[in-house]
Amino acid sequence: MKLWPEKLRPRRLLETLKKRRARLRTWALRRWIVWKFESAARRHARDLSCAQDNTAAIGRKRVIVAVCLHHGQTLTSHFLDFYRRAGADHFLVVDATRRAEAARAAEGAADCSIWRTRADYQARSEGAPWINHLLHRFAVDRL
């Protein structure tokens, strides 16, 4: 004679509850991590000022490349051509250098959008919050 149906046996019920609790903890941890990165991205987004805005050209199902220039790096036309041949449709460029010629190759290009900042690159986790903000703003829900 069965007192408990298979699904409601005490041992099985306890195992199911433990699994659910573990999944909930994992979900809560993931949500906290996403919240942490999003809040940092929003907080540091104030550092950016738009120099060239071609984001209206970004459509659905586009391949977007996000680049952060720093410490004397220069965006070259070879770099842009390489990624265009690889299938990139739009470039989001954050210019954290103090030089005017750093993003000159991207200026005037219809598939490049440029943001400039004077904030410290090292203090901003090497530009990760800026890139996260731009990707969250222009690349999320583009599928």
Side-chain angles (χ1 to χ4, degrees):
M1 183 170 105
K2 290 187 176 179
L3 294 175
W4 298 91
E6 182 64 28
K7 288 183 178 178
L8 297 177
R9 285 203 176 151
R11 181 173 286 165
R12 183 165 223 157
L13 188 61
L14 185 61
E15 289 171 3
T16 305
L17 288 175
K18 284 182 181 178
K19 287 179 186 176
R20 285 184 183 170
R21 203 174 300 139
R23 268 187 271 153
L24 182 63
R25 275 195 302 255
T26 304
W27 178 83
L29 180 63
R30 285 181 184 155
R31 279 304 314 150
W32 180 82
I33 290 170
V34 167
W35 174 82
K36 188 76 172 163
F37 280 111
E38 285 178 355
S39 64
R42 281 192 304 270
R43 190 171 57 249
H44 295 305
R46 290 180 238 132
D47 299 337
L48 299 175
S49 61
C50 188
Q52 176 179 325
D53 188 9
N54 293 327
T55 55
I58 301 175
R60 296 180 66 76
K61 294 188 178 181
R62 299 289 184 212
V63 177
I64 299 173
V65 176
V67 182
C68 188
L69 302 175
H70 61 92
H71 296 309
Q73 288 181 333
T74 304
L75 188 65
T76 64
S77 59
H78 301 294
F79 175 86
L80 296 174
D81 291 337
F82 174 81
Y83 281 100
R84 285 179 183 134
R85 282 193 310 266
D89 297 314
H90 200 86
F91 295 90
L92 304 176
V93 180
V94 176
D95 185 6
T97 63
R98 303 288 196 277
R99 301 179 2 216
E101 68 273 357
R104 185 145 307 155
E107 290 175 0
D111 62 347
C112 295
S113 298
I114 303 171
W115 285 264
R116 287 198 165 79
T117 182
R118 294 288 180 207
D120 185 26
Y121 174 79
Q122 294 292 331
R124 300 295 187 267
S125 305
E126 278 112 29
W130 300 323
I131 296 296
N132 285 337
H133 168 71
L134 292 176
L135 288 176
H136 183 72
R137 187 169 167 196
F138 298 110
V140 171
D141 295 332
R142 297 277 180 184
L143 298 176

